[in-house]
Amino acid sequence: MSSLKAIIFDLDGTLVDSACDLRDAVNVLLAEEGLRQLDLDEVKSMIGDGAAKLVERAVSATGGDQSRLSALVARFLQIYEADATRHTQAYPGVPETLAGLRRLGLPLAVVTNKPYGATIDILEALGLRAYFDAIVGGDTLPERKPHPAPILAALGRLGIAPEAALMVGDNYHDVQAAQAAGVRAVAVTYGYSHKPHAELGAERLIDTMPELLPIVADAAS
C-alpha cells in the first residue's frame, strides 16, 4: 500500500455541523411557499447531495410544486448564502486534527457538494480556510460526488496520485466517490449518513475526528 501523502475532507457532517443553518434556510423557503416547516432530523435526512437535492427533498416532503424546482433552488441559495454561518460549528477536535495533519506535512483538501461560495464563507468564519490547499465545491465542476471527478480535480491541484490519498466523509457518496477515484476512505460515525455506517464500505470508521491522526501518522510513515 502506498504511503499517505494527502487527505481530502467532506464538509457538511464531517468537518462542520451545518444542519441548523440549512434547516433555517429551508424553512424560510417553505414558509414563502406556504408549506409546513421541517424539523432538524427531517432536514438532516435530506443533507449531503447538494442544494438542489436538499430543496427537491424538502419540497417533496411538504407537498410543494415540483415543477418550480429550479426557481426554488435559486431562492434557497439566496436565503442560505446570505447567512450560512450563524449556527454552523466545527465538530469537536476538528481544528486540532487539521493542525496536527499540517504538522505531519500533508496537504489537505475539501471536496463538498455544497456550493463553493458558501463553503469558503463557512471555512473562513470558523478559522479553517488556511488549512486547505484545494477546495472543490458542488458547483465547481459539472459533476458532484458520488462521481469521482471532484476528488480527482482536488488531487490534480495537490499534485498527488489517488493511491496516495485518503478521503474522510460521513455519507455513502463520499465513500463511493473515493472508491471510484481509487482513493482510500474513512467514514465518521457522526454526521448525516443516509444508511448505517457499517454499510458505507469505508476501510475504517472513526467516532471522533482526532481518531484520524494516529491512522494517518501510521499510513504516512
Side-chain angles (χ1 to χ4, degrees):
M1 184 182 284
S2 301
S3 97
L4 207 48
K5 298 192 182 338
I7 315 293
I8 301 169
F9 292 92
D10 171 52
L11 184 68
D12 297 296
T14 301
L15 293 176
V16 305
D17 184 356
S18 53
C20 287
D21 283 319
L22 288 167
R23 175 203 59 196
D24 291 352
V26 163
N27 280 334
V28 170
L29 176 72
L30 294 174
E32 290 179 355
E33 294 297 305
L35 300 170
R36 75 170 178 88
Q37 302 286 278
L38 296 175
D39 66 30
L40 189 59
D41 285 340
E42 284 180 292
V43 173
K44 283 183 177 181
S45 75
M46 300 172 182
I47 297 172
D49 296 301
K53 222 36 177 172
L54 172 59
V55 173
E56 179 186 327
R57 289 166 177 157
V59 171
S60 174
T62 55
D65 183 358
Q66 297 282 337
S67 70
R68 296 180 50 247
L69 270 179
S70 59
L72 294 175
V73 171
R75 176 60 182 141
F76 167 77
L77 289 173
Q78 195 176 35
I79 298 163
Y80 178 63
E81 292 181 353
D83 196 9
T85 61
R86 177 178 294 189
H87 302 296
T88 295
Q89 297 181 320
Y91 283 107
V94 163
E96 298 83 353
T97 302
L98 295 175
L101 293 170
R102 293 313 297 251
R103 283 195 295 273
L104 291 173
L106 294 169
L108 308 178
V110 169
V111 174
T112 174
N113 285 342
K114 182 187 285 296
Y116 180 83
T119 298
I120 295 295
D121 288 348
I122 287 169
L123 292 174
E124 288 183 345
L126 298 178
L128 303 178
R129 173 67 183 89
Y131 289 114
F132 297 102
D133 305 285
I135 296 169
V136 177
D139 51 359
T140 301
L141 302 173
E143 305 87 2
R144 296 196 306 267
K145 297 176 296 184
H147 198 285
I151 290 179
L152 294 172
L155 290 175
R157 295 181 192 180
L158 298 179
I160 301 294
E163 60 270 18
L166 174 72
M167 175 80 198
V168 183
D170 70 311
N171 216 322
Y172 64 93
H173 58 246
D174 299 313
V175 177
Q176 287 178 2
Q179 290 173 342
V183 169
R184 285 167 269 181
V186 165
V188 300
T189 58
Y190 53 87
Y192 319 130
S193 183
H194 298 175
K195 58 170 67 175
H197 295 98
E199 296 175 15
L200 296 179
E203 294 181 26
R204 298 281 293 270
L205 296 175
I206 57 174
D207 297 322
T208 65
M209 190 56 76
E211 292 173 43
L212 183 65
L213 274 172
I215 294 171
V216 171
D218 287 346
S221 55

